[in-house]
Amino acid sequence: MAISAAGSSRSERNAVAAPAGVNRPATIHDIAAMCGVAASTVSRALSTPDRVNFRTRARIEAAAAELNYTPNSQAKALSSGRTGAVGVLVPDITNPFYFDLIRGTQLQLKAAGYTQLLVDTEESDEVEASTMEQLRKGADGIIVTAPRLGDDVLLAAAAKMPMVTINRDVPGVPAVIIDTPTATGQALDHLVSLGHTRVAFMAGPLTSQSSSRRWAALSSAAEERGVEVLRLGPFAPKTQSGAAAADSAVHSGVTACIAFNDLIAIGMLQRLRERGIRVPEDMSIVGCDDIFGADFCNPPLTTMTSPIEQAGRVAVSMLLGRLNPLAGGSNRSRSVMPTHLTVRGSTGPARVV
Amino acid sequence: MAISAAGSSRSERNAVAAPAGVNRPATIHDIAAMCGVAASTVSRALSTPDRVNFRTRARIEAAAAELNYTPNSQAKALSSGRTGAVGVLVPDITNPFYFDLIRGTQLQLKAAGYTQLLVDTEESDEVEASTMEQLRKGADGIIVTAPRLGDDVLLAAAAKMPMVTINRDVPGVPAVIIDTPTATGQALDHLVSLGHTRVAFMAGPLTSQSSSRRWAALSSAAEERGVEVLRLGPFAPKTQSGAAAADSAVHSGVTACIAFNDLIAIGMLQRLRERGIRVPEDMSIVGCDDIFGADFCNPPLTTMTSPIEQAGRVAVSMLLGRLNPLAGGSNRSRSVMPTHLTVRGSTGPARVV
DNA sequence: CACGGTTTGGCAACCGGTTGTCAGAGTGTG
DNA sequence: CACACTCTGACAACCGGTTGCCAAACCGTG
């Protein structure tokens, strides 16, 4: 047998390559040398255990443990084509809405042995597009949240690599949809029952599909109930926009507002307070998402609670289901997450005019 | 010349490899074939432009543009040893403190052409350790925030790969320190000037070095000023812990509290409100960090404002300075970020007993 | 004992780049 | 015109794995 020869030549090379005691990470070649087998056998022992003999595998596993071996993910990715990473694109990391989403994806990805590549696209469609192109090689799949890009671009991108969108309903592209439109109806009922007859919708960005969907749901619900709704905005989804939103709501003369999201709603609360307009006595405010802070702002915000973290997990599950079709897993290409209205202190009976 | 021969053989292989029109991403070999040069020449043209002739380079660049070439980062990493990625370890993604930090690192890394690998260690030292080991190959460097691991472990890890810590002062390990101890003195002055003589410190986790440093600063400042401070806790850095913190503060009979961080402080505000204890009339509360939400909670929180996002950027700069020593850049191994007290509504004159 | 089938392990090509080395071409000088 | 020197590009090894294919070894059976 050529065991000793192979072993010694390997260790010689090793000694020469790392003479200064710089214990560089072990490779399968080191293990192979130590066990007197070929590198390919080591590879198989670790990735296709059934392929090698029970005794050989044990020896290899022992050696691997001793050398504290960790596979080099770059090399693995290069040769196998799978990177073990999933890209997650969010428009704004500092938006609390995405915190929970990110945590959801992170947890689920880690559980499945994947790495999360988080990218903040800074609300820019260009960054979005270039990132997606870049990730095409760097990741096995991608999860994009409420992107700026058009349906056609998204569809084309989905054809090139596994993709799941969140809150973006494009036919042919797997999606997780947070069903705020339904909760919007609940919110309107809530306001109507409190005596409000004129309600404003503080719209999000024009390009936001979520905003359009909510407005559509709201206006049709309003029609059914015979109340008047008007659309104000657009407003950027940040607390700072709340000031302008509040002023425009006051000017419009409504007694209640449904904001595109909690950030705008919270900003409105601050502005209304500055102007001495009481919430909910003079004006009722409803937010959307129930983000961090919605429960402790002043007054606590009535809002539509979304299962955000869960949405992140579902998105990951859907994506992984596509990546590994064999592993079973529901192969649904669309998942709707229910939401509900959480009533807190920012809504109350309509002011008697 | 063998140009035509090489060219045709290449394109043949190419045609065979991708017959079904599956336009897989272009490689340097495709470019080489198209230009009739060797792959190595393409590599040099793109990474060491001076190394190839002006005209050849132009041809190659044109071909690369036409084929929409993007280098495969895995392959690049494998052969060059540099991954172009930096790991960022945070204990809890959903803690708003880290949002700003993450955004800071993300922005600075992207500007330098690096990718951010974000990992939530879930407040666990084991996850921290294993992640660091894993990242040793997957990243060029690592930024760890207020880790659980001991000084010795950190020092050992720092010897193995470039590392910068945030809010963790270990000799020999580059660090960005947010100087809350100084602001703690300011906070105490503020409270003392309002007539408070007994103040509680709501401590963070026992293993948190930040918490220890703050307590040390606070107790020595208290001694100088002749006021009494007591330490309560430890409390987990979450709003939920605020309830216990509030109750223990009330029980201790102090008139003012300085919390380890804003999450605890905000949780205390909620609990005190539930119990009918007025802030600041009956109890003053000071937070720490000035996170998202500190300005709109009820009442708005007096807190120590930290330049969190900036800290993230500085950490990245320090790390990159180590990775590319040639590029100049300050080679400091320790950076202290100033903080200041932001007075809002949660602090007021001491209750007259 | 011969034969077919199944394990089991090795060889070598390959993933897509980087980089050391070398040879041929081109340039300038004595 | 010969020689030294620089510029330019090709060749091939290498990074650390994966995987198709083949051959040796081993098995049981007729």
Side-chain angles (χ1 to χ4, degrees):
Chain A
M1 274 178 131
I3 290 182
S4 60
S8 65
S9 81
R10 241 316 161 178
S11 50
E12 262 179 320
R13 172 202 184 278
N14 199 342
V16 172
V22 186
N23 63 334
R24 59 137 176 60
T27 73
I28 54 169
H29 294 100
D30 300 328
I31 300 179
M34 185 174 254
C35 298
V37 299
S40 53
T41 304
V42 177
S43 173
R44 290 201 174 89
L46 299 176
S47 54
T48 328
D50 294 340
R51 191 53 224 290
V52 311
N53 181 287
F54 153 73
R55 293 194 52 71
T56 323
R57 193 201 321 161
R59 261 172 43 230
I60 290 174
E61 278 166 356
E66 188 185 337
L67 293 178
N68 208 337
Y69 170 75
T70 339
N72 180 319
S73 54
Q74 325 289 338
K76 198 169 231 164
L78 183 56
S79 58
S80 67
R82 286 167 257 116
T83 63
V86 167
V88 176
L89 268 59
V90 300
D92 177 9
I93 295 193
T94 58
N95 179 339
F97 174 80
Y98 297 107
F99 299 164
D100 292 315
L101 194 68
I102 292 168
R103 158 153 279 206
T105 54
Q106 149 95 24
L107 288 177
Q108 198 76 358
L109 283 171
K110 195 196 287 183
Y114 279 79
T115 302
Q116 166 167 281
L117 296 176
L118 179 65
V119 181
D120 180 348
T121 59
E122 299 166 45
E123 309 262 1
S124 143
D125 55 351
E126 284 186 31
V127 177
E128 242 171 42
S130 69
T131 306
M132 289 176 66
E133 183 57 33
Q134 209 183 324
L135 249 39
R136 198 168 143 201
K137 284 164 192 154
D140 293 345
I142 191 174
I143 293 175
V144 287
T145 58
R148 302 307 219 211
L149 295 170
D151 284 14
D152 48 346
V153 183
L154 233 40
L155 196 52
K160 289 186 184 169
M161 82 181 295
M163 175 164 110
V164 172
T165 58
I166 292 182
N167 263 355
R168 185 64 188 260
D169 208 349
V170 180
V173 180
V176 175
I177 306 289
I178 298 179
D179 180 27
T180 33
T182 299
T184 303
Q186 285 182 34
L188 191 60
D189 283 341
H190 170 64
L191 292 174
V192 168
S193 76
L194 288 169
H196 297 273
T197 53
R198 289 190 71 222
V199 175
F201 176 67
M202 321 309 293
L206 282 179
T207 51
S208 162
Q209 217 189 38
S210 310
S211 184
S212 318
R213 279 211 315 274
R214 272 173 226 173
W215 167 245
L218 183 61
S219 50
S220 79
E223 197 163 351
E224 288 174 17
R225 289 160 183 77
V227 300
E228 184 186 350
V229 294
L230 60 164
R231 175 181 188 151
L232 302 175
F235 301 102
K238 303 180 183 284
T239 53
Q240 295 90 305
S241 320
D247 288 355
S248 107
V250 168
H251 179 257
S252 73
V254 298
T255 57
C257 299
I258 296 179
F260 167 64
N261 73 6
D262 285 349
L263 290 174
I264 295 175
I266 289 172
M268 290 179 74
L269 294 181
Q270 292 179 282
R271 175 63 174 175
L272 293 171
R273 170 176 308 278
E274 280 171 25
R275 292 189 51 174
I277 297 167
R278 294 167 303 163
V279 176
E281 291 81 358
D282 300 328
M283 176 84 80
S284 286
I285 303 286
V286 176
C288 183
D289 294 340
D290 199 6
I291 61 171
F292 173 86
D295 59 334
F296 64 72
C297 57
N298 185 14
L301 193 63
T302 294
T303 188
M304 296 169 249
T305 302
S306 309
I308 313 177
E309 181 175 326
Q310 198 188 338
R313 289 150 93 128
V314 171
V316 169
S317 300
M318 283 176 58
L319 187 65
L320 296 186
R322 277 163 197 277
L323 293 181
N324 317 313
L326 51 113
S330 64
N331 215 1
R332 290 186 309 169
S333 69
R334 195 159 179 284
S335 179
V336 176
M337 314 294 296
T339 63
H340 65 269
L341 186 69
T342 298
V343 177
R344 298 203 184 95
S346 67
T347 47
R351 180 189 51 200
V352 181
V353 186
Chain B
M1 275 178 128
I3 288 181
S4 60
S8 65
S9 82
R10 242 315 160 180
S11 50
E12 261 178 322
R13 170 203 186 276
N14 199 344
V16 171
V22 187
N23 62 335
R24 58 133 178 60
T27 73
I28 54 169
H29 295 100
D30 300 328
I31 300 178
M34 184 174 254
C35 297
V37 298
S40 54
T41 304
V42 178
S43 173
R44 290 205 169 86
L46 299 175
S47 55
T48 329
D50 294 341
R51 189 54 223 290
V52 311
N53 183 285
F54 154 73
R55 292 193 52 71
T56 324
R57 192 201 325 161
R59 259 170 46 230
I60 290 174
E61 279 166 355
E66 188 185 336
L67 293 178
N68 208 338
Y69 170 75
T70 337
N72 179 319
S73 53
Q74 326 288 339
K76 198 169 231 165
L78 183 55
S79 57
S80 67
R82 286 166 257 117
T83 63
V86 167
V88 177
L89 267 58
V90 299
D92 177 10
I93 294 193
T94 57
N95 179 338
F97 175 80
Y98 296 107
F99 300 162
D100 291 316
L101 194 68
I102 292 167
R103 159 153 278 205
T105 54
Q106 149 97 22
L107 288 176
Q108 197 77 358
L109 282 171
K110 194 195 285 180
Y114 279 79
T115 302
Q116 166 168 280
L117 297 176
L118 180 64
V119 181
D120 181 347
T121 59
E122 298 167 47
E123 309 262 3
S124 142
D125 54 351
E126 282 186 33
V127 177
E128 242 173 42
S130 70
T131 306
M132 288 176 67
E133 182 56 34
Q134 209 182 326
L135 249 40
R136 198 168 142 201
K137 284 161 191 156
D140 293 345
I142 192 174
I143 293 174
V144 286
T145 58
R148 302 307 219 212
L149 296 170
D151 285 14
D152 48 346
V153 183
L154 277 179
L155 196 53
K160 287 186 184 167
M161 82 181 296
M163 175 164 112
V164 172
T165 58
I166 291 180
N167 262 356
R168 186 65 189 259
D169 207 351
V170 180
V173 180
V176 175
I177 306 289
I178 298 179
D179 181 27
T180 33
T182 299
T184 303
Q186 285 182 33
L188 191 61
D189 283 342
H190 169 64
L191 292 175
V192 168
S193 76
L194 288 169
H196 297 273
T197 53
R198 288 189 74 220
V199 175
F201 175 68
M202 321 310 292
L206 282 178
T207 52
S208 162
Q209 216 189 39
S210 310
S211 184
S212 317
R213 280 211 314 274
R214 271 172 227 173
W215 168 247
L218 183 60
S219 50
S220 78
E223 196 164 353
E224 288 173 17
R225 289 159 183 78
V227 302
E228 184 187 350
V229 293
L230 60 165
R231 174 180 189 154
L232 302 175
F235 301 102
K238 304 182 183 284
T239 53
Q240 295 91 305
S241 320
D247 288 355
S248 106
V250 168
H251 179 257
S252 73
V254 298
T255 57
C257 299
I258 296 180
F260 167 65
N261 73 8
D262 284 349
L263 290 174
I264 295 175
I266 288 172
M268 291 179 73
L269 294 181
Q270 292 179 279
R271 175 63 175 175
L272 292 173
R273 169 175 308 278
E274 280 172 25
R275 294 191 49 174
I277 297 168
R278 295 167 303 164
V279 176
E281 291 81 358
D282 300 328
M283 176 84 82
S284 286
I285 303 286
V286 177
C288 183
D289 295 338
D290 200 7
I291 62 172
F292 173 86
D295 59 334
F296 63 72
C297 55
N298 183 15
L301 193 62
T302 294
T303 189
M304 296 171 250
T305 302
S306 307
I308 313 178
E309 181 175 326
Q310 198 187 338
R313 290 151 92 128
V314 171
V316 169
S317 300
M318 283 176 57
L319 187 64
L320 296 186
R322 283 170 190 272
L323 293 181
N324 318 313
L326 50 112
S330 64
N331 214 1
R332 290 186 309 168
S333 69
R334 195 159 181 286
S335 179
V336 176
M337 313 294 296
T339 63
H340 66 270
L341 185 71
T342 298
V343 177
R344 298 203 183 94
S346 67
T347 47
R351 181 190 49 199
V352 180
V353 185

